[in-house]
Amino acid sequence: MINVIGLGYIGLPTALMMASHGLKVVGTDYNHELVDMLRAGHTTFKEEGLDALFNSAVKSGIVFTTEYQTAETYIISVPTPYDKFSKRVDTSYVVEAVKNVIKVAPKGASVVVESTVSPGTMDKFIRPVIKEAGLETGEDIYLVHAPERIIPGNMIYELIHNNRTIGADEKEIGKKIKSYYASFCRGEIVVTDIRSAEMTKVVENTYRAVNIAFANELAKICRHDGIDVYEIIRICNMHPRVNILQPGPGVGGHCISVDPWFLVGDYPSLANVINESMKTNDGMPDFVLNRIYEIMKEEKLTDISRVGLYGLTYKENVDDMRESPTLQLLASQKRHLADGLKVYDPMIEADIVENQYHDLSGFLNDIDMVVIMVAHDEIKKNCMDLKDKIILDTRNVIGSLGRGWKLRTL
Ligand code: SAJ
């Protein structure tokens, strides 16, 4: 039996996938409300295909509980935030989960950490916990690190099709865990050692962060000289070995805006490009705020409450607001003792911020200038409704459609 610990964005779909592919799975989460919701037949976030997968897993007998189980294998998918001051990974949730697991784990159980950790975490934080409990790794407990790679917005597809990495001390254990993932994963599953698995995961997200920072820096350079950055990127990307990403209002989510800091925190004198890239990305919400003020001045718009931010989530077509550039921008505006910006996001039903709207037409009626922060499909479908507004399109959604409109970009 597999006991999946932590039923969030990664743990839940992984548990459901394994259960619906014939493995006996119990999902454990210490959050009673979350477990009650799952038991009542409701999923806890929106993701294409998640509800169908949930129903299939329930039919196959998945169980949700707040209790840790006696199981042959544990998969730990709990949060690993980072400490904003030290820039280092906060391992407290993983350590706590491992402590709880080893209280009930039978001799020879495998403990798979799926949460993203910084390189060396298993050696520095997890092995000592096992030792302190009087247990031996490789005898009483087998340690494995199996980081995920799925992208919010396309999770179910990517769970099935992405290649994966499994890091284990013993090849045989690595192969056993690989067989569980292979029950649903059609990608290639590489078995390596734990330190390499830890490093690859963080490096993958860092690679993307650095490349997004490059696009963001280009946007600033092009703005300085009045050049269209999108035209530059489009043409450069026609070169066979160039693939520049898209600039944006900032980098959100719980991965690309977080994981690269682990490398900066652990290797402060070595991770220079990474450090500068992260600072560039983190500076983008302020850059957008300055653009808003610049455009207001040009358009002789004096009332900030006539400006609206479209989009609260960290990217398009998800309901996830973690580290969202819009929330960062609003916080920055508050620090400057100015507020009043209106906000709307079709993916968010709850009231999250002040001056938030829940319908697009009401939102548009009350503003003169709209700042597109997220490229949700809704805004693409309705972009003709923006025709008479001053538009700051930070995501290049409107593009050539807006010729002759009051359209600005980053
Ligand atoms: N973004 C840009 N410009 C771009 C691409 C993205 O500004 O050209 C922004 C997005 O708007 C968003 C942020 O970056 O705010 C991150 O979005 P994303 O779609 O690039 O990635 P995530 O954070 O949703 O998921 C990433 C993925 N990692 C990589 O692509 C290397 C995913 O595969 C990982 O599983 C996930 O992190 C994770 O959990 O680590």
Side-chain angles (χ1 to χ4, degrees), residues 10 116 148-152 158 162 201 204-208 212 215-216 245-257 259 314-316 325 395:
I10 302 302
T116 304
E148 54 77 26
R149 278 179 173 157
I150 55 179
I151 195 148
E158 290 209 349
N162 283 1
K201 167 69 194 182
E204 287 160 12
N205 282 348
T206 302
Y207 170 85
R208 197 154 165 86
I212 295 170
N216 285 335
L245 296 181
Q246 294 298 305
V251 172
H254 202 57
C255 314
I256 294 178
S257 67
D259 303 349
Y314 83 91
K315 67 175 188 180
E316 67 283 1
R395 297 282 189 177

Side-chain angles (χ1 to χ4, degrees), residues 209-224 229 233 244-248 273 276-281 284 287 410:
V210 169
N211 282 284
I212 295 170
F214 178 68
N216 285 335
E217 190 161 287
L218 282 184
K220 289 182 180 175
I221 292 171
C222 289
R223 163 72 29 223
H224 185 267
V229 67
I233 292 176
I244 304 172
L245 296 181
Q246 294 298 305
V273 172
E276 286 308 317
S277 300
M278 294 303 280
K279 285 199 242 162
T280 301
N281 290 340
M284 289 313 286
F287 182 76
L410 282 176

